[in-house]
């Protein structure tokens, strides 16, 4: 009965659409036609069955090609596979505006998805993967229906007409964004010097530059070699990294890089080889994304880049907050191309903040001494140096009203014979109550990690295992370091454990005079388990069927 109702509902959707088949996207690449055209038969317009009515990300086409090789026995050399993925990702890909909202899936980030329209759609589309995975495909109405039927048959669940109808409308084949982008597609012109800022949980802010050089032999190649120098804002230590990237569709950077020194035994060593996912702005003047590594991609830099210019460029400020009434605060403004002469009048921290003097300046850094008036405007302030601005760079506050441990919920994993342990880095962020005077509301002001010397400097960390005796040791589950880094126990247990990760401020106190406390809910889990003859393995924040146990 439910299947009949579903069919009727979907029929209503389809009947409301034109009966003429949507125009496909012709395939023009000889290699794709030769390797795919046998099964995906061509028509008189140059369309290949299924392929011409689909668009997706580089990851989507890569997964589809792997499936064709494994399931259908398609024979491809590695260069041929790379060439096919590059062509399809460029000419049957997504427009930059379509790709950016689902970028977190390629970045391997745990992300709270609030755009799932119903519980019915959630059960169908997010049980095994993110909703972004579904929305990263664009299909014709007919192709969405066919995909829904095949998906239901493959994974043994009833067809979901509601999900198909939603995706047909939310992720159509033809969009104004795609039409505009494909009509103006240009070669990626990324060579040169880029200014870069990055942050890592538990490590703080970094700044530096990336040199990008073409790796191919022809002008229209989309492969590049990179060299990166990053400097820690906290301690001044430097990191050298080198890598290689491929650009799909002139905006989707996918690459790998590693440090100039061999990575040490620490799993969060910044010299580790990392995958790079970047979204390049359509005008090719800026980029943003993530470089990540780890068993569960739990480590990574959040990266922002912009092309170097001839004028002064302010990248970041070393302080995230200043308290009202404070005097002679030293603030470092870090950037590029700063002039030889800098005066207090060249800096602007917003109303109520006065630049007392310039302590020192170089082409990359200005150190200023600033006073904050007792009646300075609370909240985020822009910081400007000459004509270059860092929006919302410093928060002005009167007191820390509460602290949060981030992430507020997380997963870590014991290891086994085939999978190494999964770790978790925590940070403690201070908050001011915001303009409405009420804490834990939408207008609260983030003040940055606690402690004047860097993340978590003003915090004591502890663990509390659920359902255990008060004061008992949590060492059998793992340990959290003084910097908020959780390491699971070496001897992996055969069960999951629910744990509070607790941060207690050393100096900041609440209205009751007691130290401020924040908590995060952590599940320390097994890396795999067997149920009903199938093995399930952890992938980010969900369990994936790894196939029948032999």
């Amino acid at each position: 009965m439910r299947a009949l109702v579903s069919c009727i509902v979907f029929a209503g959707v389809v009947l409301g659409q034109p009966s003429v088949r949507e125009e496909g996207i012709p395939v023009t690449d000889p290699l794709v036609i030769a390797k795919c055209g046998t099964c995906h038969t061509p028509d008189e317009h140059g369309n290949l069955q299924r392929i011409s009515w689909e668009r997706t990300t580089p990851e989507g086409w890569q997964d589809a090609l792997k499936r064709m090789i494994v399931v259908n026995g398609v024979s491809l050399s590695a260069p041929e596979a790379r060439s096919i993925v590059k062509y399809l990702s460029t000419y049957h890909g997504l427009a930059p505006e379509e790709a950016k909202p689902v970028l977190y899936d390629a970045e391997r980030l745990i992300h709270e998805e609030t755009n799932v329209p119903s519980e019915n759609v959630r059960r169908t589309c997010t049980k095994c993967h993110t909703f972004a995975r579904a929305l990263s495909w664009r299909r014709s109405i007919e192709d969405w229906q066919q995909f829904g039927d095949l998906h239901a048959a493959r994974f043994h669940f009833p067809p979901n007409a509601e999900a198909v109808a939603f995706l047909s409308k939310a992720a159509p084949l033809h969009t104004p964004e795609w039409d505009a982008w494909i009509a103006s597609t240009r070669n990626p012109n990324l060579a040169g010097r880029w200014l870069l800022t990055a942050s890592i949980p538990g490590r703080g802010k970094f700044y530096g530059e990336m040199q990008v050089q073409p790796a191919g032999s022809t002008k229209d190649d989309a492969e590049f070699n990179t060299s990166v120098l990053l400097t820690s804002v906290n301690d001044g230590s430097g990191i050298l990294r080198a890598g290689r990237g491929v650009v799909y569709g002139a905006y989707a950077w996918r690459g790998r890089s590693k440090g100039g020194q061999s990575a040490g035994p620490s799993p969060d060593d910044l010299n580790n080889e990392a995958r790079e996912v970047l979204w390049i702005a359509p005008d090719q003047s800026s980029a943003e994304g993530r470089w990540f590594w780890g068993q569960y991609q739990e480590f990574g830099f959040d990266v922002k880049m912009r092309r170097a210019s001839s004028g002064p460029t302010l990248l970041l400020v070393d302080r995230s907050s200043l308290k009202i009434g404070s005097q002679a605060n030293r603030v470092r403004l870090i950037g590029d191309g700063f002039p030889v002469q800098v005066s207090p009048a060249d800096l602007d921290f917003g109303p109520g903040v006065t630049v007392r003097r310039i302590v020192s300046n170089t082409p990359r850094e200005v150190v200023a001494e600033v006073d904050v008036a007792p009646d300075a405007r609370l909240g985020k302030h822009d910081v400007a140096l000459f004509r270059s601005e860092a929006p919302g760079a410093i928060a002005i506050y009167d007191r820390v009203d509460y602290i949060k441990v981030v992430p507020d919920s997380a997963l870590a994993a014991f290891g086994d014979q085939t999978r190494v342990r999964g770790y978790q880095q925590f940070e403690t962020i201070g908050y001011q109550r915001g303009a409405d005077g009420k804490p834990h509301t939408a207008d609260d002001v983030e003040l940055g990690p606690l402690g004047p010397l860097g993340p978590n400097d003003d915090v004591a960390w502890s663990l509390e295992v659920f359902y255990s005796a008060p004061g008992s040791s949590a060492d059998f589950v793992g340990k959290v370091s003084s910097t908020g880094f959780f390491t699971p126990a070496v001897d992996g247990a055969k069960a999951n454990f629910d744990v509070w990760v607790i941060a207690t401020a050393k100096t900041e106190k609440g209205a009751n005079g007691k130290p401020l406390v924040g908590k995060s809910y952590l599940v320390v889990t097994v890396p795999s388990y067997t149920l009903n003859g199938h093995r399930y393995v952890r992938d980010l924040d969900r369990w994936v069927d790894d196939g029948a146990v032999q």
Side-chain angles (χ1 to χ4, degrees), residues 215-532:
S217 58
T218 62
K219 185 177 179 181
D220 61 351
D221 276 342
E223 298 187 15
F224 299 89
N225 292 324
T226 62
S227 60
V228 177
L229 172 61
L230 285 174
T231 302
S232 167
V233 172
N234 291 339
D235 60 19
S237 60
I239 306 167
L240 286 169
R241 297 185 65 85
R244 189 180 182 98
V246 179
V247 179
Y248 302 95
Y251 75 89
W253 176 286
R254 302 295 187 265
R256 288 187 179 272
S257 66
K258 60 182 179 179
Q261 301 178 0
S262 298
S266 175
D268 62 341
D269 191 315
L270 301 185
N271 289 295
N272 272 298
E273 184 179 35
R275 290 169 58 190
E276 298 179 345
V277 172
L278 293 172
W279 180 90
I280 302 167
D283 64 1
Q284 300 186 356
S285 66
S286 63
E288 60 184 89
R290 185 173 185 247
W291 305 344
F292 54 92
W293 70 94
Q295 175 71 62
Y296 302 99
Q297 291 83 52
E298 64 265 48
F299 305 112
F301 294 91
D302 293 320
V303 176
K304 292 186 177 181
M305 298 167 47
R306 67 178 81 173
R307 285 189 187 269
S309 68
S310 58
T313 302
L314 177 60
L315 292 176
L316 55 83
V317 179
D318 72 332
R319 300 282 294 269
S320 57
S321 59
L322 294 171
K323 194 170 185 178
I324 59 171
S326 60
Q327 302 291 307
N329 301 282
R330 289 206 171 187
V331 181
R332 293 167 59 206
L333 292 84
I334 298 168
D336 186 69
F338 295 161
V340 175
Q341 297 295 327
V342 179
S343 70
D346 298 324
L347 278 66
D348 186 0
F349 287 79
V353 183
T354 303
V355 180
R356 178 185 290 187
R357 67 187 181 101
I358 303 298
V359 178
S360 63
N361 66 284
T362 69
R364 295 288 186 90
E365 178 180 292
V366 173
V367 179
E369 208 169 73
V370 304
D371 300 333
V372 185
D375 60 349
R377 178 179 60 81
L378 302 178
K380 294 285 189 178
H381 282 219
D382 299 339
V383 177
L385 175 61
F386 296 99
R387 296 180 181 177
S388 186
E389 185 176 84
I394 279 190
I396 304 301
Y397 72 101
D398 54 356
R399 67 173 185 264
V400 181
D401 288 294
Y402 64 95
I403 62 176
K404 279 186 179 180
V405 177
V406 294
D408 59 3
S409 62
L411 279 173
F414 299 114
D416 62 15
Q417 293 180 346
T418 59
R419 295 167 74 89
V420 301
R421 288 177 289 179
Y423 303 84
Q424 183 64 55
Q425 176 69 59
F426 294 93
E427 278 191 317
T428 307
I429 309 296
Y431 283 83
Q432 195 257 359
R433 62 199 174 281
D436 65 3
K438 301 176 181 178
H440 304 286
T441 56
D443 71 341
D444 291 358
V445 180
E446 181 181 324
L447 306 178
L450 292 193
L453 302 180
N456 309 307
D457 181 68
D458 194 32
V459 173
W461 293 91
S462 60
L463 296 176
E464 181 182 310
V465 181
F466 286 27
Y467 316 118
S468 63
S472 60
S473 173
D475 289 354
F476 70 96
V477 173
K479 294 183 178 181
V480 60
S481 73
S482 60
T483 60
F485 186 77
F486 176 77
T487 301
V490 175
D491 297 326
K494 302 298 183 183
N496 299 333
F497 292 92
D498 301 301
V499 182
W500 285 123
V501 179
I502 304 170
T504 304
K506 295 178 182 177
T507 58
E508 296 291 347
K509 293 181 172 57
N512 58 4
K514 296 182 178 180
L516 294 175
V517 176
K519 290 184 176 183
S520 175
Y521 172 52
L522 171 68
V523 176
V524 189
T525 184
V526 295
S528 65
Y529 68 91
T530 300
L531 179 68
N532 296 331

Side-chain angles (χ1 to χ4, degrees), residues 101 104-105 108-116 122 126 130-132 135 404 407-409 540-542:
Y104 63 88
D105 189 52
R108 302 295 287 163
L109 278 172
I110 295 176
H111 179 84
E112 183 180 2
E113 296 183 309
T114 59
N115 57 338
V116 186
R122 183 182 300 278
T126 68
T130 63
F131 198 44
L135 292 174
K404 279 186 179 180
D408 59 3
S409 62
L540 293 186
D541 59 343
R542 67 196 71 227

